[in-house]
Amino acid sequence: MKDRIYVNELPQHVGQKVTVAGWLHNLRDHKNFGFAMLRDKTGIEQVVLNAEQLEQLRALQLESVLKFTGTVVERKAKDPSVKAVEIQAETMEVLSPVTTVAPVEISKTDLDLNLDTLIDNRVVTLRHPKQRAIFRIQAALVHGYRSYMSKQGFTEIFFPILAGAASEGGSEFFKVDYYGREATLSQSAQLYKQITMGVYEGVYGLSYSFRAEKFGTSRHLTEFNQFEFEVGFVDGMDEVMDHAEAAIREMLTTVEKTCELELKLLSVTLPPVGKRFPRVTLKEALEAYKVEGGVDETHEPDLSPAAERWLSTTWGPKHHDCGFVFVTDYPATKRPFYVKLDPADPSNTLSFDLVGFGSEIISGGLRVNKYEEQIERLKAKGLNPDQFEDYLMMHKFGIPPEGGFGMGLQRLTQNVLGLANIKEATIFPRDVQRLRP
Ligand code: AMO
Protein backbone atom coordinates (compact mmCIF):
# COMPACT_ATOMS: atom_id res chain seq x y z
CA MET A 1 0.00 0.00 0.00
CA LYS A 2 1.65 3.17 -1.22
CA ASP A 3 2.43 5.87 1.39
CA ARG A 4 1.40 3.65 4.30
CA ILE A 5 3.58 3.73 7.41
CA TYR A 6 3.66 1.23 10.28
CA VAL A 7 2.62 1.75 13.88
CA ASN A 8 6.21 1.46 15.17
CA GLU A 9 7.25 4.33 12.88
CA LEU A 10 4.65 6.79 14.20
CA PRO A 11 6.84 8.48 16.89
CA GLN A 12 9.15 9.72 14.10
CA HIS A 13 6.23 11.46 12.38
CA VAL A 14 4.86 13.77 15.08
CA GLY A 15 3.11 16.74 13.50
CA GLN A 16 2.88 15.06 10.10
CA LYS A 17 -0.05 13.72 8.15
CA VAL A 18 0.26 9.94 7.68
CA THR A 19 -1.64 6.91 6.42
CA VAL A 20 -1.90 3.78 8.55
CA ALA A 21 -3.83 0.56 8.09
CA GLY A 22 -4.56 -2.54 10.13
CA TRP A 23 -7.16 -4.33 12.21
CA LEU A 24 -9.58 -2.89 14.75
CA HIS A 25 -8.07 -4.47 17.87
CA ASN A 26 -10.36 -2.66 20.28
CA LEU A 27 -12.86 0.20 20.31
CA ARG A 28 -13.38 2.65 23.16
CA ASP A 29 -16.67 4.45 22.92
CA HIS A 30 -16.97 7.82 24.70
CA LYS A 31 -20.32 8.75 23.13
CA ASN A 32 -19.33 11.81 21.03
CA PHE A 33 -15.84 10.63 20.24
CA GLY A 34 -13.88 7.41 20.59
CA PHE A 35 -10.59 5.59 20.24
CA ALA A 36 -9.84 2.82 17.78
CA MET A 37 -6.91 0.65 18.80
CA LEU A 38 -5.37 -0.13 15.43
CA ARG A 39 -3.14 -3.21 15.13
CA ASP A 40 -0.67 -3.83 12.34
CA LYS A 41 2.24 -6.27 12.08
CA THR A 42 4.46 -3.98 14.18
CA GLY A 43 2.19 -3.08 17.09
CA ILE A 44 -0.97 -1.37 18.30
CA GLU A 45 -1.69 2.38 18.35
CA GLN A 46 -4.53 4.63 19.32
CA VAL A 47 -6.52 6.51 16.70
CA VAL A 48 -8.83 9.32 17.85
CA LEU A 49 -12.18 9.10 16.08
CA ASN A 50 -14.76 11.80 15.51
CA ALA A 51 -18.48 11.15 16.14
CA GLU A 52 -19.17 10.16 12.56
CA GLN A 53 -16.28 7.66 12.37
CA LEU A 54 -17.28 6.23 15.73
CA GLU A 55 -20.83 5.76 14.54
CA GLN A 56 -19.56 3.87 11.49
CA LEU A 57 -17.44 1.55 13.64
CA ARG A 58 -20.25 0.91 16.12
CA ALA A 59 -21.99 -0.96 13.32
CA LEU A 60 -18.95 -3.22 12.82
CA GLN A 61 -17.10 -5.81 14.90
CA LEU A 62 -13.50 -6.00 16.09
CA GLU A 63 -10.96 -7.25 13.49
CA SER A 64 -12.48 -5.10 10.76
CA VAL A 65 -9.68 -3.94 8.47
CA LEU A 66 -9.33 -0.15 8.42
CA LYS A 67 -7.27 2.55 6.79
CA PHE A 68 -6.83 5.98 8.35
CA THR A 69 -5.28 9.22 7.26
CA GLY A 70 -4.56 11.68 10.01
CA THR A 71 -2.07 13.73 11.96
CA VAL A 72 0.33 12.22 14.48
CA VAL A 73 0.28 14.02 17.83
CA GLU A 74 2.09 13.39 21.10
CA ARG A 75 0.07 12.23 24.09
CA LYS A 76 0.79 11.63 27.76
CA ALA A 77 2.29 8.19 28.37
CA LYS A 78 2.08 5.99 31.47
CA ASP A 79 5.82 5.48 31.15
CA PRO A 80 7.37 8.98 30.79
CA SER A 81 10.54 7.57 29.15
CA VAL A 82 8.49 6.46 26.15
CA LYS A 83 7.33 8.89 23.50
CA ALA A 84 3.64 8.12 23.16
CA VAL A 85 1.64 9.24 20.17
CA GLU A 86 -1.81 8.94 18.71
CA ILE A 87 -3.40 9.74 15.38
CA GLN A 88 -6.12 12.33 15.00
CA ALA A 89 -8.08 10.67 12.25
CA GLU A 90 -9.22 12.80 9.34
CA THR A 91 -10.41 10.11 6.98
CA MET A 92 -11.32 6.49 7.59
CA GLU A 93 -11.85 3.76 5.02
CA VAL A 94 -13.21 0.30 5.86
CA LEU A 95 -11.14 -2.10 3.76
CA SER A 96 -12.80 -5.25 5.05
CA PRO A 97 -15.84 -5.04 7.34
CA VAL A 98 -16.33 -7.69 10.03
CA THR A 99 -19.88 -8.38 11.12
CA THR A 100 -19.37 -11.57 13.18
CA VAL A 101 -18.30 -11.42 16.82
CA ALA A 102 -14.88 -13.09 17.25
CA PRO A 103 -15.07 -16.47 19.06
CA VAL A 104 -12.44 -15.34 21.59
CA GLU A 105 -11.57 -11.94 22.96
CA ILE A 106 -8.14 -11.20 21.53
CA SER A 107 -7.89 -7.64 22.84
CA LYS A 108 -7.18 -8.98 26.34
CA THR A 109 -3.58 -8.83 27.62
CA ASP A 110 -3.60 -12.61 28.04
CA LEU A 111 -5.77 -15.01 26.11
CA ASP A 112 -6.09 -17.41 29.03
CA LEU A 113 -7.57 -20.26 26.98
CA ASN A 114 -7.11 -23.99 27.20
CA LEU A 115 -4.88 -25.43 24.50
CA ASP A 116 -7.66 -26.95 22.40
CA THR A 117 -9.68 -23.73 22.35
CA LEU A 118 -6.51 -21.80 21.50
CA ILE A 119 -5.78 -24.02 18.51
CA ASP A 120 -9.37 -24.67 17.41
CA ASN A 121 -9.63 -20.89 16.98
CA ARG A 122 -6.12 -20.46 15.59
CA VAL A 123 -7.29 -18.28 12.72
CA VAL A 124 -8.19 -15.61 15.25
CA THR A 125 -5.98 -16.42 18.28
CA LEU A 126 -2.82 -16.18 16.16
CA ARG A 127 -3.55 -12.44 15.90
CA HIS A 128 -2.99 -11.95 19.63
CA PRO A 129 0.31 -10.09 20.16
CA LYS A 130 1.70 -12.83 22.43
CA GLN A 131 0.88 -15.58 19.92
CA ARG A 132 2.36 -13.53 17.13
CA ALA A 133 5.53 -13.07 19.20
CA ILE A 134 6.13 -16.83 19.52
CA PHE A 135 6.37 -17.33 15.76
CA ARG A 136 8.43 -14.18 15.22
CA ILE A 137 10.97 -15.68 17.63
CA GLN A 138 10.75 -19.04 15.85
CA ALA A 139 11.49 -17.31 12.55
CA ALA A 140 14.51 -15.59 14.14
CA LEU A 141 15.83 -18.98 15.31
CA VAL A 142 15.62 -20.23 11.72
CA HIS A 143 17.30 -17.09 10.45
CA GLY A 144 20.18 -17.53 12.93
CA TYR A 145 20.60 -21.17 11.90
CA ARG A 146 20.76 -20.37 8.22
CA SER A 147 23.15 -17.52 8.89
CA TYR A 148 25.57 -19.73 10.86
CA MET A 149 25.49 -22.57 8.35
CA SER A 150 25.92 -20.43 5.25
CA LYS A 151 28.87 -18.61 6.87
CA GLN A 152 30.59 -22.01 7.22
CA GLY A 153 30.30 -22.45 3.45
CA PHE A 154 27.77 -25.27 3.82
CA THR A 155 25.09 -25.90 1.21
CA GLU A 156 21.36 -25.67 1.89
CA ILE A 157 19.47 -28.71 0.60
CA PHE A 158 15.73 -29.14 0.07
CA PHE A 159 14.87 -32.71 0.99
CA PRO A 160 11.93 -34.73 -0.35
CA ILE A 161 8.91 -35.48 1.81
CA LEU A 162 7.58 -38.42 -0.20
CA ALA A 163 9.82 -41.45 0.11
CA GLY A 164 9.88 -45.16 -0.57
CA ALA A 165 11.48 -46.35 2.67
CA ALA A 166 11.40 -45.39 6.34
CA SER A 167 14.59 -43.56 7.36
CA GLU A 168 14.46 -44.06 11.10
CA GLY A 169 13.52 -47.76 11.00
CA GLY A 170 10.54 -49.18 12.83
CA SER A 171 6.95 -49.07 11.63
CA GLU A 172 6.04 -45.59 12.80
CA PHE A 173 5.45 -43.91 9.47
CA PHE A 174 2.48 -42.66 7.50
CA LYS A 175 1.57 -44.49 4.31
CA VAL A 176 0.41 -42.55 1.28
CA ASP A 177 -1.23 -43.88 -1.84
CA TYR A 178 1.12 -42.92 -4.64
CA TYR A 179 -0.48 -43.76 -8.00
CA GLY A 180 -1.51 -47.14 -6.59
CA ARG A 181 1.88 -47.80 -5.00
CA GLU A 182 2.68 -47.31 -1.36
CA ALA A 183 4.82 -44.33 -0.41
CA THR A 184 5.74 -43.06 3.06
CA LEU A 185 5.94 -39.57 4.50
CA SER A 186 9.54 -38.80 5.46
CA GLN A 187 10.48 -39.48 9.10
CA SER A 188 13.61 -37.34 8.60
CA ALA A 189 16.02 -36.31 5.86
CA GLN A 190 18.60 -38.72 7.30
CA LEU A 191 19.32 -40.87 4.27
CA TYR A 192 19.28 -37.95 1.85
CA LYS A 193 21.57 -35.72 3.87
CA GLN A 194 24.05 -38.60 4.12
CA ILE A 195 23.89 -39.16 0.35
CA THR A 196 24.91 -35.52 -0.18
CA MET A 197 28.14 -36.23 1.75
CA GLY A 198 29.48 -37.65 -1.53
CA VAL A 199 29.40 -34.08 -2.90
CA TYR A 200 29.06 -31.08 -0.63
CA GLU A 201 30.92 -32.11 2.55
CA GLY A 202 28.70 -29.84 4.63
CA VAL A 203 24.93 -29.49 4.22
CA TYR A 204 21.97 -28.14 6.14
CA GLY A 205 18.27 -27.67 5.61
CA LEU A 206 14.94 -27.36 7.33
CA SER A 207 13.03 -30.57 6.68
CA TYR A 208 9.52 -31.80 7.38
CA SER A 209 9.37 -34.94 9.53
CA PHE A 210 6.35 -37.12 10.13
CA ARG A 211 6.02 -39.66 12.94
CA ALA A 212 3.01 -41.95 13.19
CA GLU A 213 3.37 -43.02 16.84
CA LYS A 214 0.17 -42.39 18.81
CA PHE A 215 1.81 -39.69 20.97
CA GLY A 216 -0.02 -38.13 23.85
CA THR A 217 2.83 -36.12 25.40
CA SER A 218 3.55 -32.42 25.70
CA ARG A 219 6.74 -32.89 23.59
CA HIS A 220 5.61 -34.81 20.50
CA LEU A 221 3.89 -33.87 17.27
CA THR A 222 3.03 -36.06 14.31
CA GLU A 223 4.36 -33.39 11.93
CA PHE A 224 7.35 -31.22 12.81
CA ASN A 225 10.42 -29.57 11.32
CA GLN A 226 14.05 -30.48 11.81
CA PHE A 227 17.14 -28.38 11.36
CA GLU A 228 19.14 -30.99 9.47
CA PHE A 229 22.93 -30.97 9.39
CA GLU A 230 25.61 -33.26 8.00
CA VAL A 231 29.35 -32.75 7.65
CA GLY A 232 32.10 -34.86 6.05
CA PHE A 233 35.79 -35.51 6.74
CA VAL A 234 35.33 -35.17 10.49
CA ASP A 235 37.97 -36.26 13.00
CA GLY A 236 35.40 -37.20 15.60
CA MET A 237 32.07 -36.49 17.21
CA ASP A 238 33.29 -33.35 18.98
CA GLU A 239 33.47 -31.59 15.64
CA VAL A 240 29.76 -32.25 15.04
CA MET A 241 28.87 -31.09 18.55
CA ASP A 242 30.95 -27.94 18.04
CA HIS A 243 28.79 -27.02 15.05
CA ALA A 244 25.58 -27.72 16.98
CA GLU A 245 26.74 -25.52 19.83
CA ALA A 246 27.94 -22.67 17.62
CA ALA A 247 24.70 -22.77 15.60
CA ILE A 248 22.57 -22.54 18.75
CA ARG A 249 24.66 -19.66 20.06
CA GLU A 250 24.11 -17.73 16.84
CA MET A 251 20.39 -18.61 16.84
CA LEU A 252 19.93 -17.26 20.36
CA THR A 253 21.97 -14.15 19.61
CA THR A 254 19.77 -13.51 16.57
CA VAL A 255 16.68 -13.77 18.77
CA GLU A 256 18.19 -11.42 21.35
CA LYS A 257 19.10 -8.85 18.72
CA THR A 258 15.96 -8.94 16.60
CA CYS A 259 13.17 -9.92 18.99
CA GLU A 260 13.71 -7.68 21.99
CA LEU A 261 10.07 -6.56 22.06
CA GLU A 262 8.73 -10.10 21.60
CA LEU A 263 10.87 -11.46 24.47
CA LYS A 264 9.70 -8.62 26.70
CA LEU A 265 6.06 -9.20 25.79
CA LEU A 266 6.38 -12.90 26.68
CA SER A 267 8.49 -12.12 29.81
CA VAL A 268 11.11 -14.58 28.60
CA THR A 269 14.74 -14.69 29.67
CA LEU A 270 16.69 -16.93 27.32
CA PRO A 271 18.40 -20.00 28.86
CA PRO A 272 21.97 -19.47 30.13
CA VAL A 273 24.62 -20.65 27.65
CA GLY A 274 27.81 -20.63 29.77
CA LYS A 275 31.26 -20.66 28.20
CA ARG A 276 30.93 -24.13 26.67
CA PHE A 277 28.04 -26.59 26.64
CA PRO A 278 29.03 -29.43 29.00
CA ARG A 279 29.58 -32.89 27.44
CA VAL A 280 28.90 -35.95 29.58
CA THR A 281 28.36 -39.62 28.79
CA LEU A 282 24.95 -41.19 29.42
CA LYS A 283 26.50 -43.13 32.31
CA GLU A 284 27.88 -39.94 33.88
CA ALA A 285 24.54 -38.16 33.44
CA LEU A 286 22.62 -40.99 35.12
CA GLU A 287 25.19 -41.15 37.92
CA ALA A 288 24.81 -37.41 38.59
CA TYR A 289 21.02 -37.80 38.57
CA LYS A 290 21.39 -40.51 41.21
CA VAL A 291 23.93 -38.73 43.43
CA GLU A 292 22.73 -35.13 43.14
CA GLY A 293 19.16 -35.53 41.92
CA GLY A 294 18.36 -38.39 44.29
CA VAL A 295 16.78 -40.58 41.57
CA ASP A 296 18.44 -43.86 40.62
CA GLU A 297 17.93 -44.60 36.93
CA THR A 298 21.47 -45.90 36.39
CA HIS A 299 20.07 -49.20 35.06
CA GLU A 300 18.18 -47.39 32.23
CA PRO A 301 19.50 -47.31 28.63
CA ASP A 302 18.25 -43.73 28.10
CA LEU A 303 17.37 -40.55 29.98
CA SER A 304 13.80 -40.33 31.22
CA PRO A 305 11.90 -37.07 30.57
CA ALA A 306 12.39 -36.20 34.27
CA ALA A 307 16.14 -36.84 34.04
CA GLU A 308 16.40 -34.67 30.90
CA ARG A 309 14.60 -31.88 32.67
CA TRP A 310 16.77 -32.13 35.78
CA LEU A 311 20.01 -32.29 33.80
CA SER A 312 19.28 -29.22 31.68
CA THR A 313 17.39 -27.00 34.12
CA THR A 314 19.17 -27.88 37.39
CA TRP A 315 22.52 -29.62 36.87
CA GLY A 316 23.67 -27.65 33.80
CA PRO A 317 22.81 -24.19 35.17
CA LYS A 318 24.29 -25.05 38.59
CA HIS A 319 27.64 -26.44 37.44
CA HIS A 320 28.17 -24.76 34.07
CA ASP A 321 25.80 -21.80 34.01
CA CYS A 322 24.34 -23.52 30.98
CA GLY A 323 20.88 -24.81 30.04
CA PHE A 324 22.28 -27.05 27.29
CA VAL A 325 23.99 -30.38 28.01
CA PHE A 326 25.42 -32.84 25.47
CA VAL A 327 24.91 -36.46 26.48
CA THR A 328 27.03 -38.99 24.56
CA ASP A 329 27.56 -42.74 24.26
CA TYR A 330 24.08 -44.22 23.89
CA PRO A 331 23.79 -48.02 23.69
CA ALA A 332 23.49 -49.56 20.21
CA THR A 333 20.08 -50.99 21.10
CA LYS A 334 18.72 -47.44 21.44
CA ARG A 335 20.10 -45.94 18.21
CA PRO A 336 19.13 -46.44 14.54
CA PHE A 337 20.97 -48.49 11.91
CA TYR A 338 22.97 -45.59 10.44
CA VAL A 339 24.73 -44.69 13.72
CA LYS A 340 28.40 -45.65 14.01
CA LEU A 341 29.33 -48.21 16.63
CA ASP A 342 32.15 -47.43 19.03
CA PRO A 343 35.19 -49.44 17.78
CA ALA A 344 36.34 -49.81 21.41
CA ASP A 345 32.97 -51.24 22.51
CA PRO A 346 30.46 -52.27 19.81
CA SER A 347 27.58 -52.27 22.29
CA ASN A 348 28.10 -48.50 22.50
CA THR A 349 27.53 -45.90 19.74
CA LEU A 350 29.33 -42.70 18.76
CA SER A 351 26.16 -40.71 19.19
CA PHE A 352 24.83 -37.83 21.23
CA ASP A 353 21.72 -35.97 22.25
CA LEU A 354 21.62 -32.34 23.24
CA VAL A 355 19.26 -31.72 26.11
CA GLY A 356 18.16 -28.11 25.94
CA PHE A 357 16.41 -26.39 28.81
CA GLY A 358 13.82 -29.07 29.53
CA SER A 359 14.09 -31.92 27.05
CA GLU A 360 16.02 -33.41 24.15
CA ILE A 361 16.28 -30.99 21.26
CA ILE A 362 19.00 -32.68 19.17
CA SER A 363 19.94 -36.20 18.18
CA GLY A 364 23.15 -36.77 16.30
CA GLY A 365 26.42 -38.58 15.98
CA LEU A 366 28.86 -40.18 13.60
CA ARG A 367 27.50 -42.40 10.81
CA VAL A 368 28.40 -45.73 9.32
CA ASN A 369 30.24 -44.80 6.12
CA LYS A 370 31.39 -48.22 4.83
CA TYR A 371 29.27 -50.58 2.73
CA GLU A 372 29.79 -53.93 4.49
CA GLU A 373 29.40 -52.38 7.88
CA GLN A 374 26.12 -50.75 6.87
CA ILE A 375 24.70 -54.05 5.51
CA GLU A 376 25.56 -55.67 8.84
CA ARG A 377 23.94 -52.87 10.85
CA LEU A 378 20.73 -53.03 8.81
CA LYS A 379 20.51 -56.79 9.33
CA ALA A 380 21.26 -56.46 13.04
CA LYS A 381 18.28 -54.08 13.28
CA GLY A 382 16.06 -56.62 11.49
CA LEU A 383 15.81 -54.48 8.33
CA ASN A 384 16.04 -55.75 4.78
CA PRO A 385 19.04 -54.25 2.89
CA ASP A 386 17.15 -54.69 -0.41
CA GLN A 387 14.82 -51.90 0.68
CA PHE A 388 17.77 -49.52 1.08
CA GLU A 389 19.27 -49.93 -2.38
CA ASP A 390 19.72 -46.22 -3.14
CA TYR A 391 21.09 -45.49 0.29
CA LEU A 392 23.56 -48.37 0.09
CA MET A 393 24.68 -47.19 -3.34
CA MET A 394 26.34 -44.21 -1.69
CA HIS A 395 28.33 -46.49 0.62
CA LYS A 396 29.63 -48.34 -2.46
CA PHE A 397 30.91 -45.17 -4.09
CA GLY A 398 32.95 -43.50 -1.39
CA ILE A 399 31.56 -41.61 1.58
CA PRO A 400 34.06 -39.87 3.88
CA PRO A 401 33.97 -40.25 7.68
CA GLU A 402 31.00 -38.12 8.54
CA GLY A 403 28.43 -37.13 11.11
CA GLY A 404 25.53 -34.81 11.69
CA PHE A 405 22.48 -34.01 13.71
CA GLY A 406 18.79 -33.19 13.60
CA MET A 407 17.26 -30.53 15.84
CA GLY A 408 13.53 -30.13 16.32
CA LEU A 409 12.37 -26.60 15.49
CA GLN A 410 9.20 -26.72 17.58
CA ARG A 411 10.94 -28.52 20.48
CA LEU A 412 13.66 -25.86 20.57
CA THR A 413 11.09 -23.04 20.45
CA GLN A 414 9.09 -24.68 23.23
CA ASN A 415 12.10 -25.02 25.52
CA VAL A 416 13.67 -21.65 24.81
CA LEU A 417 10.36 -19.90 25.56
CA GLY A 418 9.42 -22.20 28.45
CA LEU A 419 6.08 -23.24 26.90
CA ALA A 420 4.25 -26.06 28.65
CA ASN A 421 3.18 -27.84 25.45
CA ILE A 422 4.97 -28.18 22.11
CA LYS A 423 1.70 -27.37 20.34
CA GLU A 424 2.02 -23.80 21.64
CA ALA A 425 5.27 -23.61 19.67
CA THR A 426 3.63 -24.97 16.50
CA ILE A 427 1.68 -22.58 14.35
CA PHE A 428 -0.73 -25.22 12.98
CA PRO A 429 -0.09 -28.36 15.05
CA ARG A 430 -1.01 -31.88 13.99
CA ASP A 431 -1.50 -34.62 16.55
CA VAL A 432 -3.33 -37.94 16.72
CA GLN A 433 -6.72 -36.18 16.94
CA ARG A 434 -6.05 -32.98 15.07
CA LEU A 435 -5.83 -32.21 11.37
CA ARG A 436 -7.30 -28.74 11.53
CA PRO A 437 -7.07 -25.79 11.14
P1 AMO B 1 15.32 -37.91 16.16
O1 AMO B 1 14.27 -38.87 15.76
O2 AMO B 1 15.85 -38.01 17.54
O3 AMO B 1 16.58 -38.02 15.19
O4 AMO B 1 14.79 -36.43 15.93
C1 AMO B 1 15.66 -35.31 16.05
C2 AMO B 1 15.00 -34.19 16.84
O5 AMO B 1 13.72 -33.88 16.28
C3 AMO B 1 12.80 -33.57 17.33
N1 AMO B 1 11.72 -34.54 17.33
C4 AMO B 1 10.40 -34.25 17.49
N2 AMO B 1 9.78 -33.07 17.67
C5 AMO B 1 8.44 -33.08 17.78
N3 AMO B 1 7.69 -34.20 17.72
C6 AMO B 1 8.26 -35.41 17.52
N4 AMO B 1 7.50 -36.49 17.42
C7 AMO B 1 9.68 -35.47 17.41
N5 AMO B 1 10.57 -36.47 17.21
C8 AMO B 1 11.79 -35.89 17.16
C9 AMO B 1 13.58 -33.59 18.62
C10 AMO B 1 14.71 -34.54 18.29
O6 AMO B 1 15.84 -34.32 19.08
N6 AMO B 1 17.83 -38.46 11.82
C11 AMO B 1 17.96 -38.22 13.25
C12 AMO B 1 18.81 -37.03 13.55
C13 AMO B 1 20.28 -37.21 13.16
O7 AMO B 1 20.93 -38.13 13.73
O8 AMO B 1 20.76 -36.44 12.32
C14 AMO B 1 16.55 -38.07 13.85
O9 AMO B 1 15.57 -37.93 13.17
O10 AMO B 1 14.05 -32.28 18.85
Side-chain angles (χ1 to χ4, degrees):
M1 190 176 279
K2 230 175 102 204
D3 299 333
R4 175 188 176 206
I5 67 162
Y6 293 110
V7 157
N8 66 349
E9 297 169 312
L10 289 171
Q12 299 142 38
H13 293 270
V14 174
Q16 293 170 21
K17 197 166 163 177
V18 298
T19 298
V20 288
W23 293 263
L24 181 62
H25 190 68
N26 211 351
L27 182 65
R28 295 208 192 104
D29 194 330
H30 293 277
K31 243 178 158 184
N32 290 330
F33 72 102
F35 297 109
M37 300 310 289
L38 187 79
R39 188 186 75 243
D40 70 12
K41 66 173 185 174
T42 67
I44 299 169
E45 199 48 271
Q46 181 164 298
V47 181
V48 186
L49 308 166
N50 61 32
E52 191 191 327
Q53 291 158 340
L54 179 64
E55 188 58 34
Q56 216 183 331
L57 289 186
R58 275 188 194 129
L60 297 175
Q61 295 297 332
L62 299 184
E63 295 307 300
S64 292
V65 184
L66 309 172
K67 180 179 167 186
F68 290 100
T69 303
T71 307
V72 184
V73 294
E74 263 191 83
R75 69 180 162 96
K76 261 207 184 123
K78 274 188 212 142
D79 176 357
S81 68
V82 183
K83 185 171 178 185
V85 295
E86 64 188 10
I87 300 168
Q88 303 275 0
E90 285 163 31
T91 65
M92 179 179 89
E93 191 182 335
V94 179
L95 300 179
S96 180
V98 172
T99 49
T100 313
V101 178
V104 296
E105 222 183 301
I106 65 159
S107 56
K108 292 198 307 190
T109 312
D110 283 294
L111 277 174
D112 230 356
L113 299 171
N114 76 41
L115 194 53
D116 276 328
T117 313
L118 179 83
I119 296 164
D120 283 345
N121 295 292
R122 194 46 132 182
V123 176
V124 173
T125 58
L126 189 56
R127 300 174 180 207
H128 190 274
K130 289 192 181 181
Q131 291 297 306
R132 171 192 174 274
I134 294 173
F135 302 101
R136 288 286 298 174
I137 292 172
Q138 188 166 76
L141 288 168
V142 175
H143 189 71
Y145 187 75
R146 288 211 161 103
S147 158
Y148 172 79
M149 290 293 168
S150 70
K151 271 190 268 179
Q152 310 310 305
F154 298 150
T155 305
E156 182 163 5
I157 303 289
F158 299 87
F159 302 102
I161 286 172
L162 285 167
S167 67
E168 301 298 319
S171 55
E172 297 86 6
F173 47 80
F174 290 105
K175 293 174 186 158
V176 182
D177 175 42
Y178 194 70
Y179 302 111
R181 274 189 293 155
E182 187 181 289
T184 66
L185 291 183
S186 172
Q187 291 173 303
S188 77
Q190 186 64 36
L191 310 188
Y192 294 99
K193 64 183 176 179
Q194 282 189 253
I195 290 170
T196 65
M197 286 302 95
V199 198
Y200 301 105
E201 303 187 24
V203 302
Y204 64 101
L206 200 55
S207 69
Y208 278 88
S209 294
F210 299 87
R211 304 284 166 95
E213 286 99 327
K214 293 207 160 91
F215 300 114
T217 80
S218 58
R219 293 167 295 116
H220 291 95
L221 299 160
T222 50
E223 178 187 64
F224 63 99
N225 297 99
Q226 275 193 62
F227 295 104
E228 303 275 2
F229 173 67
E230 205 71 9
V231 63
F233 296 98
V234 289
D235 291 323
M237 204 162 66
D238 276 312
E239 212 170 313
V240 182
M241 289 191 277
D242 288 345
H243 281 301
E245 176 170 344
I248 288 180
R249 285 182 185 279
E250 179 146 352
M251 291 159 89
L252 294 181
T253 307
T254 308
V255 170
E256 250 171 7
K257 278 192 193 148
T258 61
C259 297
E260 206 185 325
L261 290 177
E262 285 83 356
L263 289 171
K264 206 167 145 197
L265 190 63
L266 296 172
S267 309
V268 164
T269 309
L270 294 176
V273 291
K275 283 205 176 73
R276 186 169 188 258
F277 295 1
R279 297 172 187 195
V280 293
T281 64
L282 176 65
K283 271 205 182 99
E284 289 165 344
L286 289 172
E287 192 58 30
Y289 192 39
K290 179 181 159 190
V291 175
E292 289 181 49
V295 186
D296 186 0
E297 292 183 356
T298 47
H299 50 283
E300 295 292 341
D302 211 341
L303 292 176
S304 63
E308 286 181 357
R309 170 157 289 281
W310 177 82
L311 197 67
S312 56
T313 59
T314 304
W315 184 87
K318 182 177 167 199
H319 295 285
H320 301 271
D321 187 28
C322 188
F324 296 88
V325 181
F326 282 110
V327 182
T328 65
D329 296 75
Y330 283 84
T333 50
K334 287 306 248 179
R335 299 304 252 209
F337 60 87
Y338 52 78
V339 175
K340 196 167 177 61
L341 299 182
D342 180 355
D345 170 10
S347 70
N348 185 33
T349 58
L350 299 177
S351 67
F352 66 87
D353 276 359
L354 178 71
V355 195
F357 226 52
S359 59
E360 175 204 314
I361 52 165
I362 288 187
S363 239
L366 296 188
R367 324 294 195 187
V368 176
N369 68 321
K370 301 207 177 90
Y371 181 72
E372 297 299 340
E373 200 181 327
Q374 189 59 82
I375 299 262
E376 250 175 61
R377 292 294 303 131
L378 281 165
K379 285 185 182 160
K381 287 281 176 191
L383 295 165
N384 179 1
D386 293 345
Q387 286 180 347
F388 291 85
E389 210 182 329
D390 296 324
Y391 178 59
L392 288 166
M393 187 175 180
M394 79 167 195
H395 294 84
K396 277 189 197 161
F397 292 104
I399 288 294
E402 57 109 349
F405 65 76
M407 169 161 55
L409 168 70
Q410 291 79 6
R411 196 75 76 74
L412 176 70
T413 312
Q414 178 191 8
N415 292 4
V416 160
L417 300 183
L419 302 172
N421 195 301
I422 193 165
K423 285 181 228 166
E424 295 172 67
T426 312
I427 194 157
F428 299 113
R430 267 82 183 98
D431 62 25
V432 180
Q433 312 294 340
R434 181 180 292 282
L435 255 178
R436 64 157 291 268

